[in-house]
């Protein structure tokens, strides 16, 4: 009975809210590092990252933990908001909320709901396609001395250099196996070209600009959510020492501004520059 009461208490919900929130902050950093390859890497770099994120067993476990954390964080936030409303059904006669709290702290439920909508649409547009949809395979053009350039599929399998394979249409370059397009050879375990899907999504003549703007707006929402949530998570966990509160808030604001800004730069770069 005591255990059940603890799990249902507002204090327990705040602990779980804080822990899942901080875990998702770590996820954001890892996701950002991978996505920045859309700017600083090439198609192979990004597609290898996407393949690693969808096939590595350890990453798969972390991915499921991330999905659970997102759902728990969202549901926990809604429950806490409802409980807080019920605890104070009648507002104060004089209430100057702006003087006692930030705009972000008063609207965390709204910000969180908007982010949940963004996450769902983001997963439909990219995650679901990577896992379930028929996708183009990455191709590259390769020149062989004395021959015309050929377009080939990049594959996951690595094989040693084989001269006979080149004659058959299968090419091995720099230790990575390729299959020539247009031959009867089977393109097995090909790299799904998520790079092309992502670039085409943000550069689409009819919807690319709208998608870019909405993505940037979502990152602004994320920034507001993090500006309160990061420091609040430490307070919920009982880390509320005056000596380090200033440091936590400073790191929180830096994180809240830098991470969403870097995410927002990616679609802007793709749409206007790439």
């Amino acid at each position: 009975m005591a255990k059940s009461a603890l799990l249902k208490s507002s204090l327990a919900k705040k602990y779980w809210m804080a822990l899942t929130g901080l875990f998702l902050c770590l996820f954001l950093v890892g996701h950002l590092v991978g996505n920045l390859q859309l700017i600083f890497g090439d198609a192979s770099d990004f597609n290898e990252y996407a393949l690693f994120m969808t096939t590595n067993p350890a990453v798969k476990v972390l991915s499921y933990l991330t999905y659970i954390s997102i759902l728990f964080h969202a549901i926990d936030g809604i429950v806490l908001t409802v409980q807080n409303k019920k605890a104070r059904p009648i507002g104060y006669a004089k209430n100057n909320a702006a003087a006692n709290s930030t705009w972000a702290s008063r609207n965390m439920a709204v910000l969180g709901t908007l982010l949940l909508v963004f996450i769902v649409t983001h997963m439909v547009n990219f995650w679901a396609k990577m896992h379930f949809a028929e996708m183009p395979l990455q191709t590259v053009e390769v020149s062989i001395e004395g021959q015309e350039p050929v377009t080939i599929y990049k594959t996951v399998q690595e094989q040693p250099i084989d001269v006979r394979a080149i004659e058959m249409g299968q090419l091995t370059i720099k230790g990575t196996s390729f299959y020539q397009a247009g031959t009867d050879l089977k393109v097995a375990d090909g790299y799904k070209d998520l790079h092309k899907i992502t670039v085409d999504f943000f550069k689409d003549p009819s919807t690319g600009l709208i998608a870019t703007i909405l993505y940037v707006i979502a990152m602004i929402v994320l920034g507001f959510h993090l500006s309160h949530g990061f420091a609040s998570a430490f307070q919920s966990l009982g880390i509320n020492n005056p000596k380090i509160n200033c440091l936590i808030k400073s790191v929180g604001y830096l994180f809240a501004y830098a991470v969403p800004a870097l995410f927002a730069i990616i679609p802007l770069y793709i749409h206007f520059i790439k």
Side-chain angles (χ1 to χ4, degrees):
M1 181 69 72
K3 183 178 179 181
S4 176
L6 175 62
L7 292 174
K8 293 180 180 180
S9 70
S10 295
L11 183 60
K13 289 183 175 63
K14 287 181 179 179
Y15 281 143
W16 283 111
M17 190 78 169
L19 290 172
T20 53
L22 291 176
F23 174 78
L24 292 173
C25 285
L26 292 176
F27 163 76
L28 283 174
V29 173
H31 194 45
L32 175 62
V33 171
N35 283 8
L36 284 174
Q37 293 181 81
L38 288 163
I39 298 178
F40 300 106
D42 56 20
S44 292
D45 294 328
F46 184 73
N47 288 334
E48 287 175 11
Y49 153 73
L51 179 71
F52 175 79
M53 293 297 290
T54 53
T55 58
N56 183 273
V59 174
K60 279 188 175 182
V61 172
L62 289 174
S63 296
Y64 289 124
L65 183 58
T66 300
Y67 308 148
I68 294 171
S69 295
I70 291 172
L71 289 174
F72 195 97
H73 193 76
I75 294 171
D76 207 22
I78 293 171
V79 172
L80 280 171
T81 300
V82 172
Q83 286 182 343
N84 290 337
K85 290 287 186 182
K86 288 182 177 179
R88 283 191 284 180
I90 302 175
Y92 295 112
K94 293 183 179 179
N95 181 23
N96 186 8
N100 302 315
S101 59
T102 64
W103 180 86
S105 67
R106 299 192 305 275
N107 294 276
M108 288 295 280
V110 175
L111 295 171
T113 301
L114 291 175
L115 286 176
L116 185 60
V117 172
F118 166 75
I119 290 170
V120 172
T121 56
H122 188 68
M123 292 184 72
V124 168
N125 289 322
F126 301 105
W127 180 88
K129 288 183 179 179
M130 184 66 184
H131 282 78
F132 307 114
E134 289 291 331
M135 287 182 59
L137 300 179
Q138 182 186 343
T139 60
V140 293
E141 189 175 88
V142 176
S143 296
I144 302 175
E145 187 176 353
Q147 299 183 26
E148 291 293 323
V150 293
T151 300
I152 55 179
Y153 291 108
K154 183 171 184 182
T155 70
V156 179
Q157 298 173 341
E158 292 188 1
Q159 302 174 3
I161 295 177
D162 187 344
V163 176
R164 290 185 306 127
I166 295 178
E167 295 173 353
M168 292 169 57
Q170 179 185 348
L171 310 175
T172 303
I173 299 170
K174 294 182 180 178
T176 304
S177 176
F178 296 86
Y179 289 94
Q180 182 176 340
T183 71
D184 294 332
L185 291 172
K186 182 180 179 182
V187 184
D189 298 325
Y191 276 76
K192 291 185 176 181
D193 201 349
L194 186 62
H195 182 275
K196 175 177 171 56
I197 294 293
T198 305
V199 171
D200 289 350
F201 181 80
F202 289 112
K203 289 189 76 71
D204 186 281
S206 57
T207 62
L209 180 59
I210 296 174
T212 300
I213 293 172
L214 290 176
Y215 191 99
V216 171
I217 292 174
M219 292 305 99
I220 293 173
V221 172
L222 175 62
F224 278 115
H225 193 75
L226 290 173
S227 67
H228 172 71
F230 188 92
S232 178
F234 287 93
Q235 286 189 343
S236 296
L237 294 173
I239 305 174
N240 192 22
N241 190 317
K243 294 181 179 179
I244 61 173
N245 280 349
C246 184
L247 176 62
I248 291 175
K249 286 184 178 180
S250 298
V251 173
Y253 280 123
L254 178 62
F255 187 89
Y257 294 136
V259 171
L262 289 171
F263 269 116
I265 287 172
I266 296 171
L268 291 171
Y269 171 82
I270 292 174
H271 184 80
F272 292 106
I273 300 176
K274 197 174 182 70

